[in-house]
Amino acid sequence: MSWAPLRLWLRSAAPPLYPVGPHRLAAPVCGVCRGPVRSGFARCYQCERQDQLGRGLLADAVVPISYALKGTAFADDLWRYKSMVAPAASARASVLALLLAFLADHGACVWRQAAMPPPSRLAVVPSGCGRPGPHPLLQLVSPCLRLPGCALALRPGRQGRDLDPDRFQAAGVAAGASVLLIDDTWVSGASAQSAAVALKRAGARHVAVVVVGRHVNPDDPRAGPLVAALAPALYDPSSCAVHPVSRRPSGPSISTNGI
Ligand SMILES: [Zn+2]
Ligand SMILES: [Zn+2]
C-alpha cells in the first residue's frame, strides 16, 4: 500500500483547503467545533447550548479536516458529491481521497484527542432531509475501511435546529464500542451531536467525529476575524487540527481495504 499517490493527487487535482488549527490562525475559534467565537469565549453559542442539552453524551472529539468557506470550490464539492440529480464524479473522488488520506495520516491524532482506542465501528451523520437509502458518504467510504457500520436513522418529525437526543435511532452499536462518526459538513453541529448522543445511548463508549468541512459563511459578521485569517492551502500530511506542531506522518492509522 502506498499513500504517496493519493496525497500527490490531492495536492494536484483536488480543490485547495482551508486548514483548521488555532496555531495557524490569528482569530479566536471555538474549542469544540473550531467555528467563529466571540473573543474571550472558549466555545461558540451552539456548542455551549449543546453541552447543556446533551451533557455527558456528546462526542469526545470533533476534528474538522478543513474549513468549508461558502462559495469556494471545496465547499461546492461537499454539496456536489451527493447531488441527488447528478453527483459530480470529481467531487466524489476529492471527498473520498481527502477523507482516506486524513484518516491514514491523522486518525491516530483523532483517537488520541477522543482518549479512545482505534475505532471499532463506523457511522455517518444522516442528512437533515432524511433522504432514503444509505448516505452517499457511507457508500463512498465504507468499501474502503475495514470497520463494521452502525446505522443511524432519522426519526420522523425530528428535524430541528437544536441538539435532539431523540432525533436518531442507532442500531448495530456493540456495547463499549469506539465509533468513528463522519460528517461531510458541520454547520451548527446539532445533527452530529444528536447522532453522538444516539450512539452513546445505544452503548458506544467513545465517539470521535471527523468533519470534512467546517462551514463558514463569509457574510456572517461574527465570522469576520476567522475569514480574514483563512488562506487556501494544499493538503498537508504533516499538520491537522489537533497536533499543533508539524511532524512527519507515520504509517497509516486506520485499516483500509487495499487502498
Ligand atoms: Zn463550536
Ligand atoms: Zn494530526
Side-chain angles (χ1 to χ4, degrees):
M1 176 193 299
S2 170
W3 293 90
L6 197 63
R7 295 191 192 108
L8 190 65
W9 187 86
L10 274 172
R11 293 179 64 82
S12 61
L17 305 174
Y18 292 81
V20 179
H23 57 291
R24 293 166 174 256
L25 296 173
V29 294
C30 172
V32 177
C33 72
R34 318 292 167 137
V37 71
R38 284 168 59 196
S39 187
F41 285 77
R43 290 185 286 209
C44 69
Y45 170 79
Q46 284 93 347
C47 289
E48 195 65 51
R49 181 160 173 76
Q50 286 157 17
D51 184 56
Q52 290 165 12
L53 295 170
R55 183 159 289 175
L57 294 171
L58 299 180
D60 300 287
V62 176
V63 183
I65 300 175
S66 170
Y67 288 103
L69 198 55
K70 188 179 173 190
T72 61
F74 174 64
D76 287 349
D77 270 2
L78 292 178
W79 290 105
R80 295 193 314 137
Y81 93 95
K82 62 180 178 183
S83 161
M84 291 228 245
V85 185
S90 63
R92 287 169 61 86
S94 291
V95 169
L96 179 60
L98 178 60
L99 201 43
L100 292 179
F102 183 84
L103 290 174
D105 291 337
H106 302 288
C109 308
V110 178
W111 329 146
R112 193 164 51 245
Q113 181 79 0
M116 74 181 211
S120 56
R121 288 286 188 280
L122 172 70
V124 168
V125 179
S127 48
C129 60
R131 67 192 285 163
H135 192 285
L137 194 55
L138 189 63
Q139 287 179 310
L140 265 184
V141 171
S142 60
C144 304
L145 298 181
R146 289 197 190 116
L147 277 179
C150 305
L152 283 164
L154 181 67
R155 288 198 174 101
R158 304 303 300 207
Q159 295 98 326
R161 295 173 59 161
D162 259 341
L163 181 145
D164 176 358
D166 296 316
R167 182 178 302 185
F168 300 115
Q169 171 84 48
V173 186
S178 295
V179 182
L180 167 60
L181 177 60
I182 300 173
D183 198 3
D184 53 23
T185 308
W186 178 291
V187 181
S188 72
S191 285
Q193 293 287 24
S194 298
V197 170
L199 290 165
K200 288 199 171 179
R201 278 180 158 184
R205 179 158 183 218
H206 304 285
V207 176
V209 182
V210 169
V211 176
V212 183
R214 202 295 174 202
H215 172 82
V216 176
N217 182 357
D219 297 329
D220 178 356
R222 291 169 302 175
L226 176 57
V227 172
L230 293 180
L234 299 175
Y235 176 72
D236 178 1
S238 71
S239 171
C240 77
V242 293
H243 76 263
V245 180
S246 285
R247 58 141 177 80
R248 296 181 68 79
S250 50
S253 56
I254 193 163
S255 291
T256 56
N257 290 326
I259 301 301

